Amino acid sequence: MSATTAPKFYETKKFKEKVRLTFVTLLLLAGSTLILMPLWWMISTSLKSPAEIAQYPPTFLPKEFNFNNYIEAWQTAPFTRWALNTIFLATVGTIGSVLVNSLVAYGFAKIKFKGRNALFVLVLSTMLIPGFVTMVPQYILFSKLGWIDTYLPLLVPAFLGSAFFIFLLRQFMMGIPNELVEAAVLDGAGHLQIWWHIMLPLTKPALITVAIFSFNGAWNDLLGPLLYINDESKYTLQIGLQTFKGTVQTQWHYLMAMSVTVLLPVILLFFFFQRYFIEGSNISSGTKG
C-alpha cells in the first residue's frame, strides 16, 4: 500500500477559508472607505478656515482645527429655534407613523374580512406612484384647507399611513402565532387591546425600524418645509442650512459645520438601535407559529 501524500498548504480548507475572509475584509474596507470619504471631507472642511478651503490643491487634514466654526455657525441664525422645530416635527411625525402603520398592519395581518388581500394589493400599488406626481394636488388641497405656513401639511400625512411601513409591519406580524390572538379574544379582549398589549410588544424590532425610517425622513426633509413654510420662525434645520449659501459666495466652513451637527443625531440614533433595526428589517423574524 502506498502512503497518501499530504495536501499542500494552499490546498487545505483552512487556507482557502483564510483567503476568502481576507478578500471579503479587503472588499469591505474598500467599500467603507468610499462611503466614509465624503463624511470625512465634510468634517475636515468644517474645521478649516475659509482661506484653507479655497486653496489648491486641497488639504486632506486641516492645518489648524477651528472648532469655533461650530459655535459661530450656530450663532449666525436662530438655529436653536429651528432645531426645536425640527425635533417637534420629527418626534410627532414618528409617533404618528408608528401608531397608525402598526394599527393598519395589524388589521391586514390578523383580522379576516372580505377583500382583505385585494385591499392590501391596492395599498401596495400606491408605492408605484412617484411623490412628484402627487405634489401639486397635495399643495392645492392644503392651500384650500388654509394649511399653508403651518405644520399641518408636514404632520398630517404621517398619520395617514405609508404603504412600505404597512407592508413591513404586516409581514412581521404574520409570523406571530394566531393562537395568541384567539386566546385574547376568548378572554374578552377587543382588537385595540390585542394590538396595544400583544402586537406592539412582540413587534418592537419592526416598530423601531419604522421609527428610525420615519425620524430620518422627517429630520432630513427639505422639500416639505420649503413648500409649505414661509415664516422664518417656523423654519427647520434643513432650510436653515441654506442661509449659508449666498448668490455670490457660500460659507463652506459654516455650512459643513452645521451639516455635521444636523447629521449627528441621525448617526447616534442608528448607532444605539442598530440591533433592532437589523432584526426589524428581516420580515421573517417574527415568532413562528
Side-chain angles (χ1 to χ4, degrees):
M1 295 180 62
S2 59
T4 57
T5 57
K8 296 182 173 66
F9 74 96
Y10 55 82
E11 296 177 343
T12 60
K13 184 177 180 181
K14 185 177 181 180
F15 177 79
K16 292 180 180 179
E17 183 66 20
K18 287 184 177 180
V19 171
R20 187 186 69 83
L21 290 176
T22 303
F23 175 77
V24 171
T25 302
L26 293 176
L27 187 64
L28 291 175
L29 286 175
S32 301
T33 302
L34 291 175
I35 294 173
L36 294 176
M37 185 60 68
L39 177 62
W40 166 252
W41 193 258
M42 180 173 65
I43 297 174
S44 176
T45 304
S46 70
L47 298 172
K48 294 179 181 178
S49 64
E52 187 177 357
I53 294 174
Q55 79 176 40
Y56 184 83
T59 56
F60 188 74
L61 287 172
K63 295 179 181 178
E64 184 177 346
F65 291 86
N66 297 309
F67 291 99
N68 287 333
N69 289 344
Y70 287 83
I71 300 175
E72 294 173 1
W74 190 270
Q75 294 175 345
T76 55
F79 275 100
T80 302
R81 173 71 179 182
W82 296 345
L84 293 175
N85 295 341
T86 308
I87 292 172
F88 169 75
L89 289 173
T91 303
V92 175
T94 299
I95 294 173
S97 179
V98 169
L99 294 178
V100 171
N101 288 297
S102 62
L103 182 60
V104 176
Y106 167 73
F108 281 123
K110 297 302 180 183
I111 301 177
K112 295 181 180 180
F113 56 91
K114 188 176 181 180
R116 180 181 66 171
N117 294 333
L119 186 58
F120 182 65
V121 171
L122 181 63
V123 171
L124 292 183
S125 65
T126 60
M127 297 175 62
L128 302 176
I129 304 175
F132 291 101
V133 174
T134 60
M135 185 183 303
V136 174
Q138 279 186 346
Y139 186 87
I140 295 174
L141 174 63
F142 294 145
S143 178
K144 295 287 186 181
L145 294 173
W147 289 0
I148 302 301
D149 204 22
T150 69
Y151 288 148
L152 291 176
L154 306 177
L155 293 176
V156 171
F159 287 83
L160 299 179
S162 166
F164 173 71
F165 294 153
I166 292 172
F167 168 76
L168 178 67
L169 292 169
R170 184 253 189 188
Q171 296 304 108
F172 200 94
M173 290 180 182
M174 290 288 287
I176 298 176
N178 292 327
E179 289 77 10
L180 292 176
V181 178
E182 295 171 358
V185 171
L186 291 176
D187 288 339
H191 286 298
L192 286 177
Q193 292 175 309
I194 297 172
W195 163 70
W196 182 262
H197 293 289
I198 297 178
M199 289 298 163
L200 291 187
L202 291 179
T203 56
K204 183 171 68 172
L207 294 176
I208 292 177
T209 301
V210 171
I212 292 175
F213 277 127
S214 300
F215 185 88
N216 186 46
W219 185 268
N220 294 321
D221 186 20
L222 170 64
L223 186 58
L226 200 59
L227 282 175
Y228 300 112
I229 303 300
N230 300 321
D231 187 357
E232 184 177 330
S233 64
K234 299 177 182 177
Y235 280 1
T236 61
L237 288 173
Q238 297 301 328
I239 298 181
L241 292 177
Q242 307 305 310
T243 59
F244 300 119
K245 298 174 66 176
T247 56
V248 178
Q249 184 181 7
T250 299
Q251 298 172 297
W252 290 109
H253 55 310
Y254 290 160
L255 178 60
M256 292 298 124
M258 286 308 305
S259 297
V260 173
T261 304
V262 172
L263 181 63
L264 188 60
V266 178
I267 295 178
L268 293 177
L269 183 69
F270 179 78
F271 177 79
F272 285 111
F273 295 101
Q274 59 178 321
R275 179 171 66 90
Y276 297 103
F277 177 78
I278 295 172
E279 184 179 353
S281 299
N282 182 9
I283 61 177
S284 63
S285 60
T287 306
K288 297 297 181 182

